[in-house]
Amino acid sequence: MTNSFWAKKVDRRSRSAMVDFLRDHYCYNTMNSWNGASSYAHCIKIHRLGLTSEQSDKAYDMLDTDFWEEIRWPINEFTDSQNGFYTIGTNGRSGGYLVLYESRFEITGHLSYCPSCGQRNFKKVPPTFEDANEQVMAQEILKSRNAWQLGVYLSQPSIEALPLSNDEKLSTITRLKALLVDCSLTDACGVCGKPRRNFSTPPVQLAVYPGKGIDHGEAFDAEEWSMEALRERVDLVCAFDAACDQIRHNFIALLMGYDVVEETVHRPVTVKVLRKCTV
């Protein structure tokens, strides 16, 4: 279990204890001091992490590596636990603060993807039709980008040649136009040319609102904040504190488990990387 550095126990039976906890919690101006936007935060500058002198020296060397990707996973867990309504981001010069932000999962609008290269597309893969007549009409609709009036399709030689009445053709074209409205001409990926697949569920991405303060200047008056609302806010901030503690714990574990060494890569350029300690 991670040792508590920022996390505190709060008596959720006491209004005054919860209000004092929220009021006294460190906050950071998320944009500019003049815009009145601040939120719950923790300073993660090296000299504020409670490190030993040896750990601090190693930490400064580690700043030139990609260490952050190794320790940030508690942010994803926290965001998921809040159903995407809150997340944790960095702010300040050189990202010296962890800040609680409001957020939201938003649909990206992508409708298909390439399993081979990962490229996403805003168009669906067109369906295939067992009925040859439908396949012919579908191809004409896709080639025209679904832009023509119904009568124009009837005048296309490939559709004129079909053994159907005009009424049957118009009925089918009307149905297919609705079905193919978001489809591309083929299933080919625009990057690698391999077949794409449609998403079974719409993909989402996290939208973060760093300029929107959380509880800035809030008095937590009883008229506006019920005990239940206070407990929910305390639960949120305590979860934020615990996640920040875990990130700090991960960083210290990285300091203890890895050394920073220099390696020359192809250009040639010398970069700093993490290498697991041998002792």
Side-chain angles (χ1 to χ4, degrees), residues 14-118:
S14 168
R15 169 177 288 275
S16 61
M18 291 190 289
V19 169
D20 288 345
F21 168 71
L22 296 173
R23 282 179 176 173
D24 295 341
H25 197 287
Y26 180 77
C27 292
Y28 183 78
N29 287 317
T30 57
M31 294 290 283
N32 298 296
S33 59
W34 50 264
N35 73 353
S38 66
S39 184
Y40 301 97
H42 290 296
C43 180
I44 56 170
K45 295 179 181 180
I46 289 174
H47 68 280
R48 297 283 296 276
L49 291 177
L51 305 178
T52 66
S53 58
E54 182 181 355
Q55 288 173 335
S56 294
D57 291 340
K58 196 171 182 179
Y60 283 109
D61 284 338
M62 194 170 285
L63 293 181
D64 293 328
T65 73
D66 58 354
F67 74 94
W68 182 243
E69 292 305 313
E70 301 291 331
I71 69 172
R72 70 177 309 279
W73 57 261
I75 295 178
N76 296 332
E77 289 192 349
F78 172 83
T79 305
D80 289 341
S81 73
Q82 302 300 321
N83 296 315
F85 291 113
Y86 296 95
T87 190
I88 300 171
T90 57
N91 208 321
R93 293 182 179 180
S94 303
Y97 297 85
L98 290 174
V99 186
L100 177 65
Y101 289 140
E102 288 191 16
S103 58
R104 183 176 65 185
F105 284 122
E106 296 181 344
I107 295 175
T108 67
H110 294 100
L111 299 177
S112 63
Y113 67 99
C114 176
S116 298
C117 70

Side-chain angles (χ1 to χ4, degrees), residues 8-23 25 40 78 82 100 215 220 225-242:
K8 298 178 181 179
K9 292 183 178 180
V10 184
D11 185 357
R12 287 157 171 83
R13 300 167 299 177
S14 168
R15 169 177 288 275
S16 61
M18 291 190 289
V19 169
D20 288 345
F21 168 71
L22 296 173
R23 282 179 176 173
H25 197 287
Y40 301 97
F78 172 83
Q82 302 300 321
L100 177 65
D215 296 344
F220 300 103
W225 287 82
S226 65
M227 287 292 286
E228 182 181 1
L230 275 176
R231 290 190 187 104
E232 289 180 355
R233 183 63 96 214
V234 168
D235 288 345
L236 169 64
V237 179
C238 284
F240 165 72
D241 292 344

Side-chain angles (χ1 to χ4, degrees), residues 154-183:
L154 291 179
S155 65
Q156 302 308 303
S158 61
I159 295 179
E160 280 187 329
L162 297 177
L164 300 171
S165 69
N166 281 346
D167 287 342
E168 290 175 314
K169 293 175 183 178
L170 286 174
S171 176
T172 303
I173 291 170
T174 300
R175 175 169 54 82
L176 293 179
K177 278 178 68 65
L179 181 64
L180 301 173
V181 66
D182 291 321
C183 292

